[in-house]
Amino acid sequence: MVRLKERPFYLDDKQIEWVNNTIASMSDEEKVGQLFIHLTPSRDPDYLKNILDRYHIGGLRYVNAPAEEIQEQNRFVQQNSKIPLLIASNCEMGGSGGMSDGTYVASAAQCGASCTKQTAYDAGFVSGVEAEAIGCNWNFAPVTDIFFNWRNTIINTRAYSNDPSEVIALAKEFMRGLRQSNVAPCAKHFPGDGTEERDQHLLMGINDLSEEVWQSTYGAVYRAMIEDDLMSIMVGHICQPALTQKYNPQVSDRDLLPATLSPELLQGVLRGELGFNGVIVTDASHMNGLWQHFPRREQVPRAIAAGCDMFLFFNDPDEDFGFMMEGYKKGIITEERMHDALSRILGMKAALGLPALAEKNALVPQKDALSRVGCDKHLSLAAKAAEDAITLVKDTDHNLPITPQTHKRIRLYYLMGEKGGLIGATDAAREIIQEELERAGFEVTLNDGTSREKGSTMQYDDEVDAALVFADISGYARENTKRIIWATHQSNEVPWYTTHVPTVFVSLNFTTHLHDVPMVRTYINAYGNTREIIRQVIQKIMGKSEFHGHSNETVWCGKWDTRL
């Protein structure tokens, strides 16, 4: 059972009294509602009021929009909720994860590549300041997964490192920055992503490490985070056979469950071995990794019965609320388990001071707090993060520097990610790249990648001084891996031209493209597609500033030819 006076809550008697009195005053419907975090598709006041009145939700997440709109949405829901809401952002990289106009500072991979731990602190700091400015009090970060498998595209740029000790150090720095604001961190995704290439949006993941290896890697990470007063953990739709079988030796392979449904992983490992006393929240429940074992009627209450405290997102609100209520009425969720979950949920709200803020009508700051979003200070931190992290992975042919004086005529190749995915691809970055190259003094010709024809190589040599390839490939939840997909079969954008002109390949997102372009001899990881990052990449290509970032072994993708 929860210990509210201990880590990570540290509640006093008055706060504990509020928790207990609030639970005692709740109807069954209000108890069930507190277990849900709703992903709202609409900011319409009538819609939001109906959600609050009908389902009594404990938390809210939303679709990103301009900061002013999100702040007003958050003000409305807090003013119309009987119990203060946990309002979550997804600020892993800065304020950009919580609002469309927030500041992108640095991805976890960028923090890992940086020459200083300050980058991780700054990312957490800006995440907290900008999230708090719009009325959020919970951040679904840091990501504490370990990038063991280079093929994994879910955490390619969302993981700090392939080294557990670096993950611990940088995640702690992120949390230290975040805690400068009244925003609770949430580490994810227990028992740990990054060992395989498959995507839990599409199927149940498997962390297949032995118990010994898991304890020295992911276990070490979670122990360190818990000892640092981590208040909440998001569990993934990922099974861990070795740990499950330790607590249930009779379990068959077919009966292995994702952590979201596994008492062995939640109660045996997370609560028991690791001693975690905070809030456990499921990963998004619409992900298919949750769906392959039980029908929805069973998934919903079984997640809470297994040991999760909050259920992330409705599928169908009426249906899921009914399933949870049915599970409570039938005893699938026992009174003891319900009381424990509610105590942790309300305990986190009390630890954040939400009841006191509600009394002062101060759960959401005034409109002038929006001046913190995208402010000059935060933009300067983003610029410093780019300066410290952009990485020259290799330049084995010594192609750099490339300047307008030495290589004026540039053939620009732009590789775009998937359209229609969770992170939809656009050509916005291509326009920025071309603008910044021309501003720097280059003459730029954009390549037509839809053609297979290479044309006359002698004419190419006469017309092109250097080739720059920018890959802006991102996305997940549509396929289990994400690699370069050329515009057409045998496209002329495939780097055949490396033997003709100096060629530089710049990745604006995934760090492992060398697997698909080993023939490229100059390769840069930039970690973002903002104008600031693109501008600094071009400055570094021209030799006007140095590369300070560093890479780890994952960039070589386990191949010898990528190093050439």
Side-chain angles (χ1 to χ4, degrees), residues 27 31 36 46 64 86 105 147 183 201 218 221 235 281 290 353 357 364 383 458 472:
S27 66
K31 290 178 180 178
F36 285 102
D46 291 338
N64 279 8
L86 292 168
V105 177
F147 192 30
V183 178
H201 293 86
Y218 294 93
V221 170
V235 295
V281 58
L290 182 66
L357 290 171
V364 177
M458 293 181 67
D472 190 21

Side-chain angles (χ1 to χ4, degrees), residues 43-63:
R43 285 179 293 281
D44 177 72
D46 291 338
Y47 170 84
L48 293 169
K49 188 70 164 59
N50 179 62
I51 290 291
L52 295 169
D53 293 345
R54 189 164 184 169
Y55 304 114
H56 319 285
I57 57 174
L60 187 78
R61 180 70 180 98
Y62 52 88
V63 178

Side-chain angles (χ1 to χ4, degrees), residues 204 239 241 245 250-257 293:
M204 182 182 73
C239 76
Q245 289 161 356
Q250 283 74 45
V251 70
S252 67
D253 289 348
R254 182 163 183 169
D255 292 332
L256 286 165
L257 297 174
H293 292 280

Side-chain angles (χ1 to χ4, degrees), residues 142-170:
V143 173
T144 49
D145 296 317
I146 308 171
F147 192 30
F148 282 136
N149 189 327
W150 71 266
R151 295 179 185 271
N152 187 303
T153 52
I154 305 304
I155 65 160
N156 184 298
T157 57
R158 299 171 72 201
Y160 291 108
S161 177
N162 63 340
D163 181 342
S165 64
E166 290 185 8
V167 172
I168 291 170
L170 295 173

Side-chain angles (χ1 to χ4, degrees), residues 400-411:
L400 299 182
I402 290 173
T403 72
Q405 290 71 40
T406 59
H407 303 82
K408 190 172 186 64
R409 298 169 301 173
I410 298 296
R411 181 66 56 90

Side-chain angles (χ1 to χ4, degrees), residues 379-446:
L379 293 175
S380 69
L381 293 177
K384 185 68 166 60
E387 169 65 18
D388 290 340
I390 295 170
T391 306
L392 179 60
V393 175
K394 69 173 184 178
D395 184 24
T396 55
D397 277 1
H398 307 291
N399 288 318
L400 299 182
I402 290 173
T403 72
Q405 290 71 40
T406 59
H407 303 82
K408 190 172 186 64
R409 298 169 301 173
I410 298 296
R411 181 66 56 90
L412 175 62
Y413 299 81
Y414 180 70
L415 311 181
M416 190 186 300
E418 69 182 19
K419 295 182 178 180
L422 189 60
I423 304 174
T426 72
D427 60 1
R430 178 195 59 74
E431 295 176 3
I432 295 172
I433 294 163
Q434 190 160 352
E435 287 173 8
E436 291 297 327
L437 284 170
E438 290 173 348
R439 182 175 288 119
F442 292 103
E443 293 178 1
V444 181
T445 302
L446 182 65

Side-chain angles (χ1 to χ4, degrees), residues 106-145:
S107 67
Q110 187 173 344
C111 295
S114 178
C115 59
T116 171
K117 292 179 183 177
Q118 185 69 32
T119 304
Y121 175 90
D122 290 344
F125 175 80
V126 174
S127 293
V129 171
E130 297 196 359
E132 188 177 42
I134 59 172
C136 293
N137 47 45
W138 196 8
N139 189 21
F140 290 158
V143 173
T144 49
D145 296 317

Side-chain angles (χ1 to χ4, degrees), residues 255-303:
D255 292 332
L256 286 165
L257 297 174
T260 30
L261 298 170
S262 171
E264 294 85 1
L265 297 178
L266 296 174
Q267 298 178 33
V269 180
L270 191 48
R271 293 287 188 215
E273 290 184 37
L274 301 182
F276 181 59
N277 188 39
V279 172
I280 298 176
V281 58
T282 73
D283 204 345
S285 69
H286 55 251
M287 295 167 66
N288 286 303
L290 182 66
W291 289 69
Q292 67 189 64
H293 292 280
F294 307 110
R296 188 69 171 182
R297 172 175 255 115
E298 296 183 47
Q299 294 168 28
V300 175
R302 284 183 73 142

